[in-house]
Amino acid sequence: MVMAVYRCAKCGKEVELDLENTREVRCPYCGSKILYKPRPRVARRVKAI
């Protein structure tokens, strides 16, 4: 079972989906098809040349 957490673009709620059994990805709260994968808020340091 592959579970993934997404955030809905329309209502902003976090949705946990089983990607192996789900054929259509939709928000169960509002029905929107636009879901974003939340990224961790980690600051990256880039070395200047």
Side-chain angles (χ1 to χ4, degrees):
M1 195 151 65
V2 178
M3 298 300 286
V5 177
Y6 292 96
R7 181 173 299 275
C8 179
K10 191 173 181 182
C11 67
K13 293 187 179 181
E14 286 195 358
V15 179
E16 190 170 320
L17 298 172
D18 179 15
L19 298 179
E20 289 181 353
N21 297 329
T22 306
R23 295 189 43 80
E24 189 173 282
V25 179
R26 283 185 179 245
C27 175
Y29 302 104
C30 69
S32 176
K33 292 182 180 179
I34 303 171
L35 299 173
Y36 293 105
K37 184 81 171 167
R39 304 285 182 212
R41 296 189 182 260
V42 177
R44 294 185 187 178
R45 291 191 172 231
V46 179
K47 187 176 178 181
I49 297 176

